[in-house]
Amino acid sequence: MAQNADLIKQAMFEELQKILNPNGEIRRNAEERLAQLKYTEGYGIYLAEITINQSLDLALRQLASVMLKQYVEDCWTVEESEADAGTNGTLLVNNEAKTAIKTILPQGLNDPNSKIRSVVAYSISNIASYDWPNDWQELFGIIVKCLSSGNENSVHGAMKVLVEFTLDLDEKQIVDVGPMILSEVYRIFEAQTVYSVSTRSYAVEILHSMLRSITTHIESKQEQGNILNAVLPAFMQKMIEGLTVPNGPYSSFQLKTKIVKVLKYMISDMSKFANQYLAAILPPIWQLLTQMADVYIKVIVNETEESPFVDNGEGDENEEFISMILQIFEFLHTIIEIKKYKGAITNVLTDLIYIVILYMQMTEEQVQSWHEDPEKFVEDEDEQGVDFTIRTTALDVLLMLGQEYDQKLLASFSEALGKHITVADADRNAGHPYWWKLYEASMLAVGSFKEMIVKNEDKFDLGQYMNLVKGIMEYQ
């Protein structure tokens, strides 16, 4: 039996190597052969062994890890009594193979390659959704050990498991392991000199998953508090502070985006816990939005400066920058919707309208696209358009302000509009080629409130605005 297993293992190894061959015919033959070997009992075990074997070629290991991931997804829940590979082609994963795979895979959480760790973590999470806690009682101990005594790689791998793992916890599991998970991920998040920004970002993501699981499965605010109160106040304080940390070794756009996402969720779904922090949350959110506006205008809207963003190997900074701004606007949308926070918005209403219109300007990419295809402009600008851009998201926030404040908005709106027109005129007189974008964004804003303006002409100087429009028509 052992000799037969070794032959199968060797055959799998050879066929995996052939799949990496550039010759299409060799690859196809190897895929057909592996499809047959998939029905052997050791298939998943051998893939797991190849995946964690650091002496093998990385491309081969990555291929094995992806195939193992697919194997777990397709075959883990097949009951032995229903499996009959000889007659109906059902894949067999017996208990012995499952035990072996569950023993081997956690070793991959410490792998030096992040892609291997990620696929291994996903497979472990997938298995855990079926087997934990009844058939894999030691899993949580393995994860905690990785978190508490492992190196950066094992911590990162364990965090990847928890991101998926915490989404599927039931009430009993939350009560049993929730406090320990929260304590560990907070310890990692606050240790900015010890763990990477990426690992600390996962800590915030896990907190978000835990909060969602808690609010889904535990109705009692007191019981929620019993789980959260030991860690949440300190976690909240550190996250709020984290919004002001410059990008670099201790922060990133991705980390800030995840923090804002957690804060938004807490304000909308866990207001009892979030209310006391609102006064501390709003200033750094506002600071981020205003500080990034200058970068957004120069780099994205007008492209007058080279992008300072790079692809750091873990994500495109440019995309992460855009995602952060979008998340901030979603946060603001949530705040505006909730009546009890209206006072906080009223205090900065003129400034908020001003900055929102600033972000509504067309980007050079949009100008080029719409210039080449005017129908695309109509499609993108239509209310039912599907593109989720900063321009449309900022407009949504402006419309929400109009819905909440109605005619009371017009005084602040007029003031903000006047400031933009002054800036646009100064840019035009100075010969800046993009002065018209502020006018266009302002017109879009006015058009969005046309019904309100017509009904309240005494609160908006429509004549002055029409004179501005008339003047603009003289320019190409």
Side-chain angles (χ1 to χ4, degrees), residues 16-73:
L16 285 170
Q17 288 181 312
K18 291 176 183 177
I19 285 183
L20 298 174
N21 194 295
N23 185 293
E25 186 64 28
I26 293 176
R27 285 202 310 273
R28 281 190 292 274
N29 290 336
E31 288 168 359
E32 291 176 4
R33 178 67 176 138
L34 280 170
Q36 297 170 349
L37 291 171
K38 195 172 184 178
Y39 293 99
T40 61
E41 292 185 11
Y43 178 85
I45 299 173
Y46 306 145
L47 288 177
E49 290 176 345
I50 293 170
T51 295
I52 69 161
N53 190 337
Q54 296 179 24
S55 66
L56 298 177
D57 180 67
L58 180 59
L60 185 73
R61 297 173 62 214
Q62 288 178 327
L63 175 60
S65 70
V66 172
M67 293 178 67
L68 177 62
K69 169 178 168 287
Q70 192 62 50
Y71 179 70
V72 170
E73 289 178 352

Side-chain angles (χ1 to χ4, degrees), residues 151 248 344 375 398:
N151 58 26
E375 290 187 7
L398 187 66

